[in-house]
Amino acid sequence: MINQKRTGAGFLLAVLLLSCPLTGCHGASDASITEVDKAKATQTAEGLTQDQPQFFDIEKEQFKKMGEPVSGIDVQNGKAIQDALRYTVTAASLFDSFADAAIDTETTELTEAEEFLTADGQLKAGIKLMLLDLTVQNVGAEPKQNITALNILCGDSVSEEKGKASFFELYPSGPVWFSNPSGKRTADGWKEYYYYSLAVGQSKNLKAAWLIDTTQYDPQNLYLTFDYDEEQKYIKLEF
């Protein structure tokens, strides 16, 4: 099992998600779930393996679309506050390099992604950079937020109409670039890279980028997800 690094709110959500674990994608949407599917294991990169996909029921209302505001919870003093945040995915793009996405690699956080890069820092064959444009509205959440509360899943077998699904969680699971980090880069690396500040009643346009191994994960089956259990949301990404 790959060790996934998470920070702050992302770590808290990871703990809460244990009641509905999501782990590592090949299948097409609405494919049937079979015993053969359940027996599959996947290879995400040379020397790195992940567990089998997780199968569970999802209410149809948990599936969402790009372009629409999707409510999210905020955990405050151990209590989940409903509709505290609203996320809207306004655009999703795939690039062959950081330069194509106009991203300076000096502003990236590549702690978990070095094996996906060549010696000169370029993306290896089959690796794409996925850039999401997001609008986040703070309705009643704490001002300090963490972009790693958002994760990317790849549907192994998904039927939105029936509410049946199995997903793989991508590796690396967190963004490798974020447009609005609160922290700064130091000699020891980035400090609080994934945090951002958003006051109650305010909205902010953000960008975040993930690395996608297209030899293992089908970009046509990617979902942005956040929250947990019956509150978890799944936004189908369209490129």
Side-chain angles (χ1 to χ4, degrees):
M1 179 65 179
I2 296 169
N3 293 322
Q4 305 281 4
K5 292 185 178 179
R6 300 177 186 271
T7 58
F11 176 78
L12 175 59
L13 286 174
V15 173
L16 294 171
L17 276 166
L18 289 175
S19 60
C20 184
L22 301 169
T23 61
C25 158
H26 297 284
S29 297
D30 296 315
S32 61
I33 298 174
T34 68
E35 292 302 316
V36 174
D37 291 328
K38 294 181 181 181
K40 287 191 301 186
T42 61
Q43 185 81 16
T44 59
E46 184 177 356
L48 298 173
T49 59
Q50 282 195 301
D51 288 349
Q52 296 171 357
Q54 298 297 310
F55 295 79
F56 45 89
D57 295 335
I58 300 172
E59 296 296 327
K60 290 188 293 184
E61 293 74 18
Q62 292 176 256
F63 289 104
K64 304 296 182 179
K65 298 182 182 299
M66 290 177 53
E68 64 177 353
V70 180
S71 64
I73 66 173
D74 187 49
V75 179
Q76 301 175 13
N77 299 318
K79 182 180 179 181
I81 307 300
Q82 304 291 329
D83 196 26
L85 293 160
R86 292 175 187 166
Y87 299 98
T88 305
V89 181
T90 57
S93 306
L94 290 172
F95 297 94
D96 293 322
S97 69
F98 288 100
D100 288 347
I103 293 176
D104 182 354
T105 54
E106 291 298 312
T107 65
T108 58
E109 170 53 272
L110 299 172
T111 303
E112 293 185 341
E114 292 180 352
E115 63 265 46
F116 297 98
L117 306 177
T118 62
D120 60 354
Q122 300 301 308
L123 301 182
K124 290 183 177 180
I127 306 300
K128 297 284 188 180
L129 183 75
M130 182 184 73
L131 182 66
L132 297 186
D133 290 65
L134 307 153
T135 299
V136 184
Q137 178 185 4
N138 187 342
V139 180
E142 296 289 348
K144 188 174 184 179
Q145 291 296 316
N146 192 311
I147 197 66
T148 62
L150 306 179
N151 286 286
I152 304 297
L153 303 177
C154 187
D156 182 70
S157 180
V158 179
S159 175
E160 295 188 14
E161 184 62 30
K162 296 179 180 179
K164 302 285 186 179
S166 65
F167 288 106
F168 285 108
E169 183 175 6
L170 268 66
Y171 173 78
S173 62
V176 296
W177 178 79
F178 178 45
S179 62
N180 295 71
S182 294
K184 296 181 179 180
R185 193 168 192 171
T186 70
D188 298 324
W190 282 96
K191 301 297 183 183
E192 296 198 336
Y193 181 82
Y194 295 109
Y195 287 94
Y196 64 98
S197 181
L198 182 61
V200 173
Q202 298 295 310
S203 296
K204 182 174 288 189
N205 295 326
L206 307 173
K207 294 177 183 286
W210 285 259
L211 293 183
I212 309 296
D213 183 353
T214 62
T215 68
Q216 303 299 324
Y217 306 115
D218 183 355
Q220 301 306 312
N221 292 333
L222 296 179
Y223 290 77
L224 180 73
T225 186
F226 52 90
D227 293 347
Y228 57 93
D229 292 348
E230 68 275 4
E231 298 298 332
Q232 190 158 357
K233 312 301 191 306
Y234 305 84
I235 302 176
K236 182 70 166 60
L237 300 178
E238 304 288 348
F239 300 96

